[in-house]
């Protein structure tokens, strides 16, 4: 059209006014909903000076909360990684009855509210719960202690690794593993020399997502941990507690740690996505395609 | 190594993919499994390799019952249809893989020497440090073969080895595979749905249909005496005319053909487009020309018999007749079969 000046007919939504409006809308929302809160956390955390920030972090209860969160992640992430790899391997490289069902069940934690998971754990391990009396008799403490926190975190993040791996491994098929086996490789050897190198970026991606969720999990953990300050409070729970204590600066200081972690996660995630994780790779030699950029050996 | 399949059966859930196949392959023989898509070729090959277990029957390697030997220990070299090269390893590392994981310990020097020898054999000496993504399809195919040969397999199995390549590369690689086979003398079974490839390459062709062997024999046998209408059709272009069989003769439009040993009833006559001569007078089945198609070296003529059955045949480029002309089809080498 004439007013376009370039002689090209405008496509739908190509009008400059529309474009500007759309862009403004998106930018304002991103600013208000994502950037502003993060900036506020940073500013508030240091509102009473660096010294106060240091003191807030050094507070024994805060330090304990950080430790507890790290320990939880150190247990839950490796276990869920092993689980995710095993589940993805079983589902994509083997046939067994109930495979479809398993695939669906693995995804359940995504669709269940974490608080529901926490309550369910109460019913299973609580005093009035299924194993409550047996556990009490054996003096094993699960609820309101580290095991409960770890279990709840694991439930919530169980699908993360498997979900990254399954589509990729499905697309890769079984040919590579069959080739390795026919050449005489054992199951372990096949996994470590053939399967793992071809899924490593997706695996790392899953681990990073899983970790950031474990460290940030609030709902499920808040139900099973009992919120005991300095004992069973993880970092997210502690932040809430500080906030309710009208200790805004302390709460923001603690929150800035989680926010910092989120930014690190984001950077790693973007770096991994560049390596081709987080989306299905075209298996190059497998499909016999000629156009795939080859992986360059480090 | 001799291979023997004894009444091998394979079922997937409720679907029977292979119905009691028995087959003997001599030591050093090059045998083609030929059949249309879904006829069970890959399934049979995978059972021989041990990648799939037979539901019934037995597979022997020499005198040893190999049915329950797992793939790892079966000592077969398997070349996958899409090569299945390890994308994160170089060509050299791909070829060395089998030797590295083998129970027989080899020194790194011995492995390197063997890799070099195999690269020379498959004529890829310069490509040792490339990745599979950096070489052509035909080259990948040869790497896959070298990788399979590296473990000194007792048997070489190839699934549609040239399926993903263009026609010229296919022809070259075919001749080249035959040469390698003759040099190494390794018992080889390969799968193809391309009859030209099977006839060109194999000592013996095994033709499959719906999970059953319908004919096996040398390329000459299957070409000159197809066992049934399916084989005749599958091996190349064929015309089919419905016939009525009475007293050892097959009758079509008043013309009788020899039909020794075929029971009375409805039957069919099959013949190749090259085995028809167009005559203007008397001899043969009356027909009229429907269309003439020009080809670089011949003319393909589409005709219709008086009873409305279509026939195609090839003539010299000088063939003078046109659409609507009437004449007679003189058929050489007709093959008569009972109706399917
Ligand atoms: N894993 C499987 N599960 C179920 N059915 C299968 C499986 N593998 C093969 N089949 C079926 O068995 C039949 C034979 O398959 P097969 O792969 O052996 O055919 P093929 O002769 O190799 O065909 P093509 O030329 O298309 O490769 C097919 O009908 C196929 O659908
Ligand atoms: Mg096949």
């Amino acid at each position: 059209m004439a007013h376009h000046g370039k002689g090209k007919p405008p496509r739908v939504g190509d009008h400059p006014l529309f474009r500007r409006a759309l862009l403004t809308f998106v930018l304002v929302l991103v600013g208000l909903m994502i950037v502003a809160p993060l900036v506020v956390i940073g500013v508030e955390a240091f509102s009473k000076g660096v010294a106060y920030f240091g003191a807030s972090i050094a507070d024994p209860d805060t330090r304990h909360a950080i430790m507890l969160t790290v320990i939880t992640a150190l247990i839950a992430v490796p276990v869920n990684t092993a689980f995710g790899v095993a589940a993805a391997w079983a589902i994509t490289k083997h046939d067994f009855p109930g495979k479809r069902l398993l695939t669906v069940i693995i995804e359940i934690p995504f669709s269940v509210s974490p608080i529901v998971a926490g309550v369910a754990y109460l019913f299973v391990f609580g005093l009035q719960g299924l194993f409550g009396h047996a556990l009490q008799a054996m003096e094993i403490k699960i609820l309101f202690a580290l095991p409960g926190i770890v279990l709840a975190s694991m439930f919530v993040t169980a699908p993360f690794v498997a979900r990254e791996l399954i589509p990729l491994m499905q697309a890769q098929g079984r040919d590579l593993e069959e080739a390795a086996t026919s050449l005489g490789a054992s199951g372990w050897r096949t996994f470590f020399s053939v399967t793992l190198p071809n899924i490593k970026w997706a695996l790392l991606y899953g681990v990073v997502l899983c970790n950031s969720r474990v460290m940030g999990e609030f709902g499920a953990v808040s139900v099973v941990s009992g919120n005991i300050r300095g004992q069973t409070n993880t970092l997210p729970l502690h932040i809430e507690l500080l906030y309710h204590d009208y200790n805004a600066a302390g709460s923001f200081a603690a929150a800035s740690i989680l926010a910092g972690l989120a930014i690190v996660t984001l950077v790693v995630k973007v770096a991994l996505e560049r390596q081709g994780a987080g989306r299905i790779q075209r298996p190059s030699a497998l499909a016999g395609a000629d156009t795939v950029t080859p992986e360059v050996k480090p | 190594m001799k291979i023997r399949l004894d009444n091998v059966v394979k079922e997937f859930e409720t679907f029977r993919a292979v119905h009691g196949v028995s087959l003997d392959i001599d030591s050093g023989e090059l045998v083609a499994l030929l059949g249309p898509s879904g006829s069970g070729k890959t399934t049979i090959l995978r059972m021989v390799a041990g990648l799939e277990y037979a539901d019934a029957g037995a597979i022997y390697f020499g005198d040893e019952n190999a049915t329950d030997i797992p793939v790892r220990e079966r000592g077969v070299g398997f070349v996958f249809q899409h090569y299945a090269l390890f994308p994160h390893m170089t060509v050299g590392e791909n070829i060395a893989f089998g030797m590295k994981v083998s129970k027989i310990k080899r020194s790194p020097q011995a492995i390197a020497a063997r890799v070099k020898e195999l690269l020379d054999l498959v004529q890829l000496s310069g490509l040792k440090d490339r990745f599979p993504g950096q070489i052509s399809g035909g080259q990948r195919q040869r790497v896959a073969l070298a990788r399979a040969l590296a473990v000194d397999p007792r048997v070489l199995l190839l699934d549609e080895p040239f399926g993903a390549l263009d026609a010229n590369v296919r022809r070259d690689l075919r001749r080249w595979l035959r040469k390698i086979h003759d040099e190494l003398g390794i018992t080889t079974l390969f799968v193809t749905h391309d009859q030209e490839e099977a006839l060109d390459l194999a000592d013996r062709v095994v033709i499959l249909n719906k999970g059953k062997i319908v004919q096996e024999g040398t390329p000459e046998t299957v070409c000159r005496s197809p066992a049934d209408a399916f084989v005749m059709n599958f091996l190349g272009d064929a015309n089919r005319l419905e016939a009525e069989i009475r007293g050892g003769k097959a009758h079509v439009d008043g013309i009788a053909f020899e039909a020794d040993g075929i029971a009375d009833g409805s039957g069919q006559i099959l013949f190749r487009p090259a085995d028809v001569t167009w005559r203007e007078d008397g001899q043969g089945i009356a027909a009229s020309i429907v269309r003439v198609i020009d080809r670089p070296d011949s003319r393909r003529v589409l005709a219709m018999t008086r009873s409305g059955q279509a026939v195609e045949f090839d003539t010299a480029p000088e063939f003078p007749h046109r659409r609507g002309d009437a004449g007679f089809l003189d058929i050489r080498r007709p093959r008569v079969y009972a109706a399917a």
Side-chain angles (χ1 to χ4, degrees):
Chain A
M1 269 194 207
H3 68 263
H4 236 245
K6 285 181 194 151
K8 277 190 206 161
R11 288 165 303 176
V12 180
D14 228 12
H15 197 279
L17 211 64
F18 177 84
R19 253 197 334 230
R20 243 169 267 157
L22 182 69
L23 218 67
T24 312
F25 175 70
V26 172
L27 287 180
V28 165
L29 276 189
V30 166
L32 275 180
M33 301 195 320
I34 301 174
V35 179
L38 277 174
V39 171
V40 167
I41 288 177
V43 170
E44 285 294 320
F46 293 97
S47 62
K48 295 192 181 172
V50 178
Y52 190 87
F53 176 84
S56 304
I57 302 289
D59 172 72
D61 288 346
T62 306
R63 277 215 322 260
H64 186 273
I66 295 173
M67 277 304 293
L68 189 62
T69 296
V70 170
I71 291 171
T72 304
L74 281 178
I75 302 171
V77 173
V79 172
N80 265 348
T81 303
F83 165 76
V85 171
W89 201 17
I91 285 171
T92 57
K93 313 278 172 172
H94 298 274
D95 290 314
F96 54 90
K99 187 161 131 168
R100 295 279 279 280
L101 190 68
L102 180 63
T103 318
V104 175
I105 289 177
I106 289 177
E107 297 258 328
I108 285 179
F110 270 148
S111 45
V112 170
S113 164
I115 210 106
V116 175
V119 172
Y121 272 66
L122 277 186
F123 277 117
V124 176
F125 299 111
L127 253 187
Q128 272 76 45
L130 284 178
F131 307 123
H133 287 290
L135 287 168
Q136 199 187 31
M138 290 185 287
E139 296 195 355
I140 299 174
K141 211 164 152 46
I142 290 192
L143 284 182
F144 315 125
L146 183 66
I149 295 170
V150 171
L151 283 175
S153 305
M154 274 172 38
F155 175 89
V156 173
T157 57
F160 278 80
V161 171
R163 223 173 79 122
E164 286 305 318
L165 294 184
I166 288 171
L168 175 69
M169 288 168 80
Q170 232 145 27
Q172 286 176 345
R174 298 178 192 178
D175 278 12
L176 293 181
E177 281 77 12
E178 287 183 347
T181 316
S182 78
L183 290 167
S186 65
W188 284 116
R189 184 75 197 227
T190 302
F191 178 73
F192 285 107
S193 314
V194 175
T195 309
L196 199 56
N198 285 302
I199 60 168
K200 62 182 176 211
W201 297 121
L203 178 61
L204 229 72
Y205 186 82
V207 169
V208 167
L209 292 184
C210 178
N211 181 60
S212 75
R213 181 65 195 267
V214 165
M215 291 196 165
E217 176 53 28
F218 182 86
V221 172
S222 97
V223 176
V224 298
S225 83
N227 274 14
I228 309 165
R229 188 189 291 246
Q231 286 181 30
T232 64
N233 250 2
T234 59
L235 198 45
L237 301 183
H238 190 63
I239 292 168
E240 201 217 13
L241 207 85
L242 287 174
Y243 186 75
H244 285 311
D245 284 353
Y246 301 105
N247 183 356
S251 142
F252 280 118
S256 69
I257 296 174
L258 272 187
L261 183 85
I263 289 169
V264 171
T265 304
L266 199 71
V267 171
V268 176
K269 183 172 162 268
V270 170
L272 285 175
E273 271 168 354
R274 290 229 174 133
Q275 297 284 350
R279 62 188 149 89
I280 298 170
Q281 278 172 310
R282 203 140 53 107
S284 56
L286 238 127
D290 287 311
T291 50
V292 178
T293 13
E295 185 192 345
V296 180
K297 220 183 140 126
Chain B
M1 178 66 49
K2 261 173 92 98
I3 309 174
R4 189 154 68 84
L5 276 71
D6 184 16
N7 240 320
V8 172
V9 173
K10 178 73 195 178
E11 269 167 24
F12 292 110
E13 275 120 52
T14 53
F15 177 77
R16 188 167 272 222
V18 176
H19 298 251
V21 162
S22 297
L23 181 63
D24 274 285
I25 300 168
D26 271 337
S27 202
E29 213 178 4
L30 177 51
V31 172
L33 282 179
L34 175 65
S37 188
S39 57
K41 308 178 296 287
T42 299
T43 308
I44 294 175
L45 200 72
R46 287 171 60 85
M47 285 192 287
V48 175
L51 290 168
E52 209 88 69
Y53 283 106
D55 292 320
I59 295 165
Y60 295 88
F61 280 18
D63 294 325
E64 181 187 14
N65 186 339
T67 320
D68 296 322
I69 301 178
V71 214
R72 254 191 98 187
E73 280 137 40
R74 223 177 258 206
V76 297
F78 199 99
V79 177
F80 291 80
Q81 182 166 0
H82 299 294
Y83 325 128
L85 296 177
F86 307 129
H88 58 294
M89 297 184 197
T90 62
V91 165
E93 288 166 345
N94 263 284
I95 298 174
F97 184 83
M99 292 183 276
K100 282 190 192 146
V101 301
S102 161
K103 281 183 201 140
I104 308 159
K105 291 284 162 256
R106 296 174 175 84
S107 70
Q109 293 85 344
I111 292 179
R114 179 87 174 116
V115 168
K116 189 180 172 314
E117 190 185 308
L118 285 161
L119 279 170
D120 288 342
L121 179 76
V122 300
Q123 299 158 7
L124 291 176
S125 314
L127 301 182
K128 180 167 154 285
D129 295 320
R130 297 260 195 103
F131 285 90
Q134 299 169 318
I135 58 178
S136 76
Q139 290 166 336
R140 281 180 205 154
Q141 178 59 61
R142 286 184 278 162
V143 174
L145 184 66
R147 184 178 70 175
L149 289 172
V151 290
D152 296 314
R154 301 191 278 177
V155 174
L156 187 60
L157 305 169
L158 305 106
D159 191 1
E160 308 251 1
F162 315 117
L165 304 170
D166 73 50
N168 287 330
V169 182
R170 278 168 95 115
R171 199 168 319 119
D172 289 349
L173 276 182
R174 206 141 87 193
R175 301 280 152 80
W176 169 84
L177 178 65
R178 180 76 227 189
K179 206 173 115 240
I180 293 218
H181 174 266
D182 292 344
E183 272 170 40
L184 302 177
I186 179 166
T187 310
T188 304
L189 182 60
F190 80 98
V191 158
T192 178
H193 62 260
D194 178 348
Q195 65 283 1
E196 190 190 320
E197 191 166 291
L199 298 172
D200 188 332
L201 191 52
D203 295 321
R204 206 145 54 85
V205 180
V206 176
I207 300 173
L208 289 160
N209 186 27
K210 298 189 180 131
K212 290 196 186 97
I213 295 181
V214 285
Q215 189 173 12
E216 56 176 294
T218 59
E220 186 182 351
T221 316
V222 295
C223 285
R224 299 298 154 246
S225 347
D228 61 14
F230 169 81
V231 176
M232 176 84 187
N233 265 315
F234 188 67
L235 287 180
D237 254 0
N239 288 295
R240 179 177 174 280
L241 291 176
E242 298 202 5
E244 198 197 327
I245 299 182
R246 257 181 283 114
K249 297 267 185 222
H251 299 270
V252 183
D253 289 1
I255 308 291
F257 296 89
E258 225 25 80
D260 268 347
I262 297 174
D264 286 1
S266 57
Q268 50 186 333
I269 296 178
L270 281 87
F271 51 95
R272 304 270 174 226
D275 289 337
V276 175
T277 311
W278 180 257
R279 297 199 188 282
E280 288 160 42
D281 55 341
Q283 270 191 61
I285 299 170
S288 61
I289 294 174
V290 177
R291 224 181 123 197
V292 178
I293 301 167
D294 277 300
R295 292 186 169 171
D297 49 358
S298 65
R299 231 165 219 175
R300 164 73 48 119
V301 183
L302 279 51
M304 186 76 84
T305 66
R306 204 179 289 157
S307 56
Q309 306 194 67
V311 171
E312 296 188 13
F313 60 94
D314 294 323
T315 65
E318 296 79 21
F319 186 71
H321 299 283
R322 285 284 164 260
R323 184 194 164 97
D325 291 0
F328 300 88
L329 300 166
D330 183 7
I331 299 167
R332 289 175 312 254
R333 294 189 274 272
R335 286 177 216 290
V336 183
Y337 302 102

